[in-house]
Amino acid sequence: MLTLKTESDAELAVAAAQAGAAVVRTMYGDSLPRFEKTAGDFATAADLAAEKAICDVLSTARPDDAITGEEGGQQGAGDAARRWLVDPLCGTLNYAAHTMLVAVNVALRVGTDITAAASADPFTEEVFWTDGERACLHRGGVDEELAPSPDSRLVDVNLDPPFPNAPAFRAVRLLADPAFVQGFRPRVVSTTLAVAWVAAGRRAAYITDGHLRDSVHFSAGIALCRAAGCTVTGIDGQPLHTGAGGLIVAADRQTHAQLLDMIGRQEPSAR
């Protein structure tokens, strides 16, 4: 039982993420229809079914709230003060290739702030959640506080498009930086589950390009990392969602400073 106020927004985020995760887990391994979206990007029947399960939980509990789902788009008033951001299956390419590295993300934006969020791993049945103040892992009926740590030295670099800051910034260049290879060990899991892993101490950092305000993919993970006490900025060290955009989330200030220095040293001619 979650140690949360009954029917709180955080508890609802967890319940919705668990509902989506159950669908993803049940449908795993099936031969699923695919629905093309853009070149190289598609949804599966599991994406759609998981999103429906999540939205059913949210709309039943909070009928006046708006929802933005990756697959179904917007529901409710466009200017709603309370909006749920839903990514029912982050890592669709992994999932379709029978790789168990995916996340189910649910986040609540109230005004301009993410006030509750959950990121579920369907296969470990872990749920990382925050009520905006604390960040916890729910596993086996028990909640434990998340504790970021740089000790693993593992850094996930997102190599999926879009790349709005190219050629000035390319995350792939970090993989060839001698200082990066000396100080860290790169990982590319291609799911925002890795952002939650930074909050949990399983990754030292995560880096991506992109404009991430109201992102159904990243909002939950960013909220988790902020609540856990991680250092969270854009790729140039600026406040998140300003300037060049992008994301550096690091377990501590030292790791963040090291990565920011490496990014700043990318080819001057390209910046």
Side-chain angles (χ1 to χ4, degrees):
M1 185 69 178
L2 291 177
T3 54
L4 296 165
K5 178 183 175 183
T6 302
E7 297 182 348
S8 70
D9 288 332
E11 187 174 45
L12 180 57
V14 171
Q18 287 175 322
V23 172
V24 171
R25 188 166 55 250
T26 299
M27 298 181 72
Y28 178 76
D30 293 347
S31 180
L32 300 173
R34 297 187 182 190
F35 306 93
E36 298 296 328
K37 297 197 289 189
T38 59
D41 190 20
F42 59 87
T44 70
D47 295 71
L48 275 61
E51 183 165 303
K52 182 180 186 305
I54 294 166
C55 291
D56 285 349
V57 170
L58 297 175
S59 60
T60 297
R62 302 285 192 273
D64 296 328
D65 289 0
I67 300 173
T68 297
E70 181 182 9
E71 310 307 336
Q74 292 194 10
Q75 303 178 31
D79 59 352
R82 290 173 52 92
R83 178 173 295 278
W84 294 91
L85 306 172
V86 175
D87 182 358
L89 206 174
C90 188
T92 299
L93 289 171
N94 289 343
Y95 187 79
H98 295 179
T99 303
M100 294 181 179
L101 283 171
V102 303
V104 176
N105 296 317
V106 178
L108 173 63
R109 176 176 57 74
V110 179
T112 59
D113 298 323
I114 302 298
T115 60
S119 184
D121 182 333
F123 300 108
T124 64
E125 299 189 45
E126 296 177 320
V127 185
F128 306 89
W129 63 267
T130 180
D131 58 6
E133 296 182 0
R134 53 188 176 143
C136 296
L137 169 62
H138 183 69
R139 175 174 53 192
V142 176
D143 293 293
E144 57 187 74
E145 297 282 337
L146 296 181
S149 169
D151 291 350
S152 73
R153 310 314 292 162
L154 301 178
V155 176
D156 264 288
V157 179
N158 181 20
L159 301 183
D160 288 334
F163 308 118
N165 286 291
F169 167 75
R170 291 185 185 274
V172 69
R173 286 201 200 109
L174 287 173
L175 307 183
D177 187 317
F180 186 90
V181 175
Q182 182 177 3
F184 302 104
R185 292 294 177 267
R187 293 292 183 272
V188 182
V189 301
S190 298
T191 168
T192 53
L193 184 62
V195 184
W197 287 347
V198 180
R202 302 177 187 179
R203 291 290 190 270
Y206 181 97
I207 301 168
T208 186
D209 198 359
H211 298 296
L212 309 181
R213 186 185 298 277
D214 276 357
S215 168
V216 296
H217 308 291
F218 286 93
S219 291
I222 289 170
L224 283 161
C225 289
R226 281 176 157 167
C230 299
T231 302
V232 182
T233 71
I235 55 170
D236 287 343
Q238 77 280 8
L240 202 59
H241 310 315
T242 64
L247 173 69
I248 307 174
V249 55
D252 62 355
R253 291 182 181 275
Q254 181 178 355
T255 300
H256 181 272
Q258 289 177 271
L259 292 168
L260 187 61
D261 181 63
M262 294 174 201
I263 290 171
R265 293 202 308 269
Q266 288 199 2
E267 289 296 329
S269 61
R271 294 187 68 80

